[in-house]
Amino acid sequence: ILQASDISKVYPSGEDTVTALNHLSLEFDAGRITAIVGPSGSGKSTLLNLLAGFDVPSSGNVTHNGNSITAMPETTLASYRLAHFGFIFQNYNLVSILNAQENVELPLSLASVPRLERTKRAKELLARVGLGKRITHRPNQLSGGEQQRVAIARALATNPSVIFADEPTGNLDSATGSGILELLTGRSEGSEARTLILITHDMEVAARADKIVKIRDGRLDSGA
Amino acid sequence: ILQASDISKVYPSGEDTVTALNHLSLEFDAGRITAIVGPSGSGKSTLLNLLAGFDVPSSGNVTHNGNSITAMPETTLASYRLAHFGFIFQNYNLVSILNAQENVELPLSLASVPRLERTKRAKELLARVGLGKRITHRPNQLSGGEQQRVAIARALATNPSVIFADEPTGNLDSATGSGILELLTGRSEGSEARTLILITHDMEVAARADKIVKIRDGRLDSGA
Ligand SMILES: Nc1ncnc2c1ncn2[C@@H]1O[C@H](COP(=O)(O)OP(=O)(O)OP(=O)(O)O)[C@@H](O)[C@H]1O
Ligand SMILES: Nc1ncnc2c1ncn2[C@@H]1O[C@H](COP(=O)(O)OP(=O)(O)OP(=O)(O)O)[C@@H](O)[C@H]1O
Ligand SMILES: [Mg+2]
Ligand SMILES: [Mg+2]
């Protein structure tokens, strides 16, 4: 379903370059949970950003259901993402001038969902992540883990078939984090299982995946 | 050494208020490691910010070695913090226009440390956190865990007697995180043990503390 073919990503670094990803090829099966693990700086977020089309590889290709993410012009890609993908950024990327409810509604407005339905969905999701009493708080009036939960609710807003989650439980205690994972996999809802690709440093979280992919120095690491 | 006496913190929240901390009293022994744990939103960061004087309690007092942090005027407090405290923020608070080395040098410049010594110290610390090859990278050219490590190096720059660390290993794999803890406790350096007050969701990290303090709904939680 989602395929990375021989992708590399090279960044300039002063006089030198950094090869964040080095000829990586990977496939992600529909409806499965894949955990991406590896040391800090090993290329995990770079990989996730390329898969969701937030960045372009220096070489190689990303395709989703046969559609080339890499070749899509930005506007087409933006609509494609809106229609199919949900993304939880490592630094959340919440809009600071919008409150929690407005942040979650944002993708729904972009998807032209009618206001009443938007509001209902946003409030539902915020309640599901335990923020029912924080919907009017702006990001700087929320704790770190509360901001993370708003980002999670936002990624779920359009009920996408693929969710990319970059450290979705890093700022959550294990009880809260556990509930979040249920929500992300979508399985608890009895709906069709969504594809979840998540980066984590937490081995308990990784253990709940169907498949674990290890990255080291921009390459797949088959080691133990 | 560091004492919170009956501190409360109340935030406005729309029509209502949020009581982030509710008449909390605590003491932190010099040279010891204290871990603060508790659910997301329970008041941990609020507590840490009040202890280091980044915020003022709605009521109650914070004192360090008998000096009232709460009563100090901002300029005095800023110098006091520079002289005694190091702080690792949950969201790092790096200066985006400065590169890694410049971010670490910042407290040293503020402390009027001569340039050559500043540069030497910053480079040493960045090497110690594994970023020897990233010193010219700005925050947006660094991975999440690399940004976290710059924040850690910066907190250590002035070799403070007290370090406040808000989730210092949240974005680090366990191997990297483990080395960071050694560095933070300062014990590996053979120097006088510093006071480390750290918030963590990671029970392995908490297990390395001399004392664990549990917070729930803005109060001390004596429960299991
Ligand atoms: N814009 C950039 N310019 C230069 N180097 C970069 C840039 N972005 C990332 N890098 C480098 O690429 C490497 C991989 O970054 P990436 O964010 O993918 O790591 P990561 O595995 O997600 O790490 P972490 O677990 O710390 O979040 C890092 O060493 C980083 O310094
Ligand atoms: N400026 C603010 N205005 C209103 N409410 C706030 C503000 N800052 C924090 N809060 C609320 O106070 C509570 C405690 O926040 P705090 O950041 O101390 O939690 P925390 O224990 O650090 O959580 P986490 O583990 O998620 O980082 C949260 O529920 C938060 O919504
Ligand atoms: Mg990352
Ligand atoms: Mg916090």
Side-chain angles (χ1 to χ4, degrees):
Chain A
I1 176 173
L2 188 61
Q3 204 159 17
S5 310
D6 197 40
I7 52 173
S8 295
K9 184 68 184 179
V10 181
Y11 295 106
S13 169
E15 299 297 305
D16 216 337
T17 59
V18 170
T19 301
L21 289 179
N22 202 333
H23 296 286
L24 206 93
S25 292
L26 264 180
E27 272 190 15
F28 300 86
D29 303 324
R32 315 301 293 274
I33 307 172
T34 307
I36 300 173
V37 302
S40 169
S42 57
K44 304 179 297 296
S45 298
T46 299
L47 172 58
L48 214 69
N49 291 337
L50 291 177
L51 290 172
F54 282 114
D55 200 2
V56 184
S58 310
S59 63
N61 266 301
V62 177
T63 55
H64 176 244
N65 293 342
N67 305 301
S68 164
I69 299 294
T70 314
M72 273 183 213
E74 186 50 43
T75 42
T76 320
L77 184 48
S79 329
Y80 192 89
R81 266 201 304 261
L82 191 59
H84 301 281
F85 298 164
F87 203 106
I88 301 160
F89 296 88
Q90 194 166 4
N91 68 351
Y92 320 145
N93 268 344
L94 297 180
V95 179
S96 59
I97 54 174
L98 300 181
N99 67 28
Q101 181 180 328
E102 293 161 340
N103 265 285
V104 177
E105 286 188 11
L106 196 45
L108 297 168
S109 327
L110 294 172
S112 310
V113 170
R115 197 165 68 69
L116 284 176
E117 191 186 325
R118 236 170 34 220
T119 299
K120 183 170 173 297
R121 175 102 178 121
K123 287 183 173 176
E124 254 165 30
L125 283 167
L126 285 167
R128 297 279 288 288
V129 297
L131 293 179
K133 297 186 175 178
R134 295 283 186 274
I135 66 177
T136 59
H137 285 224
R138 285 190 308 282
N140 68 356
Q141 301 170 318
L142 292 169
S143 79
E146 288 171 345
Q147 290 173 35
Q148 187 161 42
R149 285 183 269 159
V150 175
I152 291 162
R154 180 181 63 184
L156 289 163
T158 54
N159 194 18
S161 57
V162 187
I163 290 205
F164 302 87
D166 199 341
E167 304 280 356
T169 61
N171 274 299
L172 303 175
D173 54 284
S174 55
T176 310
S178 189
I180 291 303
L181 284 172
E182 285 311 312
L183 198 54
L184 284 176
T185 56
R187 291 173 180 173
S188 61
E189 300 173 30
S191 60
E192 180 183 323
R194 67 168 57 94
T195 307
L196 174 60
I197 302 170
L198 76 97
I199 293 172
T200 184
H201 284 303
D202 185 334
M203 290 306 127
E204 287 186 28
V205 168
R208 296 169 67 164
D210 300 312
K211 176 178 164 190
I212 293 180
V213 168
K214 299 183 193 183
I215 306 284
R216 177 175 292 279
D217 296 326
R219 292 181 176 82
L220 286 175
D221 179 19
S222 46
Chain B
I1 173 173
L2 189 61
Q3 204 160 17
S5 311
D6 197 40
I7 53 174
S8 294
K9 183 68 184 180
V10 181
Y11 295 108
S13 170
E15 299 298 308
D16 216 339
T17 59
V18 170
T19 302
L21 289 179
N22 202 332
H23 296 287
L24 205 92
S25 292
L26 264 179
E27 270 188 17
F28 300 85
D29 302 324
R32 316 300 293 277
I33 308 173
T34 308
I36 300 173
V37 303
S40 169
S42 57
K44 304 180 297 296
S45 298
T46 299
L47 172 58
L48 214 68
N49 292 338
L50 291 177
L51 290 172
F54 283 115
D55 200 1
V56 184
S58 309
S59 62
N61 267 301
V62 177
T63 56
H64 176 243
N65 292 341
N67 305 302
S68 165
I69 299 294
T70 313
M72 274 184 213
E74 185 51 42
T75 44
T76 319
L77 184 49
S79 327
Y80 193 89
R81 266 201 302 265
L82 192 58
H84 301 281
F85 298 163
F87 202 105
I88 301 159
F89 295 88
Q90 194 166 4
N91 69 350
Y92 319 146
N93 268 345
L94 297 180
V95 179
S96 60
I97 54 174
L98 300 182
N99 67 29
Q101 181 179 331
E102 292 160 341
N103 264 285
V104 177
E105 286 187 11
L106 197 45
L108 297 167
S109 327
L110 294 172
S112 310
V113 169
R115 198 165 68 69
L116 285 176
E117 193 187 325
R118 236 171 35 220
T119 299
K120 182 168 173 300
R121 176 100 178 122
K123 288 182 175 177
E124 255 165 27
L125 283 166
L126 286 167
R128 297 279 289 290
V129 297
L131 294 179
K133 296 185 177 178
R134 295 283 185 273
I135 66 177
T136 59
H137 285 226
R138 287 189 308 281
N140 68 356
Q141 300 170 318
L142 292 169
S143 78
E146 289 171 344
Q147 292 173 34
Q148 187 161 41
R149 285 182 270 160
V150 174
I152 290 162
R154 181 180 63 185
L156 288 163
T158 54
N159 194 19
S161 57
V162 188
I163 290 204
F164 302 87
D166 200 340
E167 305 281 355
T169 61
N171 273 300
L172 303 175
D173 54 284
S174 56
T176 311
S178 189
I180 291 301
L181 285 172
E182 284 312 311
L183 199 54
L184 284 176
T185 56
R187 289 170 183 176
S188 61
E189 301 175 29
S191 60
E192 182 185 319
R194 64 166 61 92
T195 307
L196 175 59
I197 302 168
L198 77 97
I199 294 172
T200 184
H201 285 303
D202 185 335
M203 289 307 128
E204 287 186 28
V205 168
R208 296 168 68 163
D210 301 311
K211 177 177 164 190
I212 294 180
V213 168
K214 299 183 193 182
I215 308 284
R216 178 176 292 279
D217 297 325
R219 291 181 177 81
L220 286 176
D221 178 18
S222 47

